[in-house]
Amino acid sequence: MSFESNVKLTIALSNPDLDAEEQERETRNLLREIRDLDVESAELVAVTEIPEGARSVGGFLVGVLQTEVSLANFKKLLGFLGDRLGGKSIELEVEANGKKLKVKASSREELLAAIQAAEEFVKPK
């Protein structure tokens, strides 16, 4: 598998019941868990890339992280996200083959549909 076939994934968690510090803790826990998987990289998103309406804490966006994973491990990462984030409100942005796909999910069913769309999106044509 060539380096160009890596998939970039931006994960934005959204939980209005949590304050900024709690959201930050939840995001850092998820980041640690993702780093334990076989990913090329996983980082919090720096404030320099602020989307409209986003909050930041300590120089990083609250609830947002980016990861890069090989195509071979992409499905494993999506499976982990489905297990870990089912029922939570999240936004995924998948970048592969020079294209981007952005999906939102606020239930387990929506997340599974979003994961399926992401898998279809990255399949080589």
Side-chain angles (χ1 to χ4, degrees), residues 42-122:
E43 303 297 331
L44 295 173
V45 176
V47 171
T48 57
E49 307 167 25
I50 298 182
E52 191 174 322
R55 299 178 294 174
S56 69
V57 169
F60 297 99
L61 292 180
V62 174
V64 182
L65 59 93
Q66 286 182 320
T67 185
E68 190 169 331
V69 64
S70 69
L71 204 49
N73 290 320
F74 181 65
K75 194 167 185 155
K76 185 165 85 172
L77 175 61
L78 289 180
F80 164 79
L81 292 175
D83 292 343
R84 177 73 166 70
L85 301 177
K88 295 187 179 180
S89 185
I90 68 165
E91 191 172 304
L92 295 177
E93 185 174 297
V94 180
E95 186 176 342
N97 307 319
K99 300 181 294 187
K100 285 186 180 182
L101 170 71
K102 199 171 200 173
V103 290
K104 292 183 181 184
S106 56
S107 70
R108 181 154 184 82
E109 292 75 25
E110 288 178 8
L111 180 59
L112 293 175
I115 287 171
Q116 188 171 7
E119 288 175 356
E120 290 295 320
F121 180 74
V122 300

